Amino acid sequence: MVQGRREAEAKRVADEIVATGGKAAIAVGDLATDAGAEAVVEATLSAISGIDILVNNAGIAPVGDWFQTNADTWMEIYNLNVAGLIRLINRFAPTMKEQGWGASFPLPVVKPANPRSFKVLTRHQKLLW
């Protein structure tokens, strides 16, 4: 599955995968919203019979440095990078649990300021199943 906020870009990536002999389908949705995450989950589960592995590498980074980035921008970043990850895990975890198998691998798009916070989130995911 190739997920993206923009259908044309997701389709381009999926087409490249298919052109090299692979299989791919797309799921379009903005992970910064509940509706977008739900659309991604529905498209995924409609295209394939289940989900074994969720690799989540959606994310954005601030354009400026800490002193140039305001609180609203940080909330936008948090909403996609952290809450978007949680939105997908919460929606895919029941299917994985029902299957008796599943794993989630969050891949930060940017290096976390505090690597310990990433370890805590990863440890929490392992506890889900």
Side-chain angles (χ1 to χ4, degrees):
M1 288 302 298
V2 176
Q3 184 275 328
R5 289 179 287 172
R6 294 178 293 279
E7 184 174 1
E9 186 64 16
K11 185 171 179 348
R12 182 189 64 74
V13 172
D15 289 347
E16 287 180 22
I17 293 169
V18 171
T20 60
K23 295 180 183 178
I26 65 169
V28 179
D30 183 354
L31 301 181
T33 68
D34 287 337
E38 192 62 39
V40 168
V41 171
E42 287 177 14
T44 300
L45 296 178
S46 293
I48 57 178
S49 60
I51 182 162
D52 296 324
I53 300 172
L54 170 63
V55 177
N56 190 327
N57 68 338
I60 55 176
V63 175
D65 63 23
W66 278 90
F67 301 109
Q68 296 171 327
T69 306
N70 63 34
D72 289 339
T73 301
W74 280 114
M75 289 308 296
E76 179 183 339
I77 291 167
Y78 179 87
N79 188 40
L80 177 61
N81 295 7
V82 178
L85 168 69
I86 293 167
R87 284 181 183 99
L88 287 184
I89 291 170
N90 285 347
R91 286 167 172 80
F92 280 124
T95 299
M96 292 175 175
K97 192 170 184 175
E98 185 178 298
Q99 295 171 167
W101 158 249
S104 174
F105 297 97
L107 301 176
V109 174
V110 294
K111 181 181 175 188
N114 180 354
R116 187 179 184 290
S117 62
F118 180 72
K119 289 179 185 175
V120 170
L121 181 59
T122 304
R123 187 177 314 119
H124 171 72
Q125 291 172 25
K126 289 178 184 175
L127 297 175
L128 288 175
W129 34 81

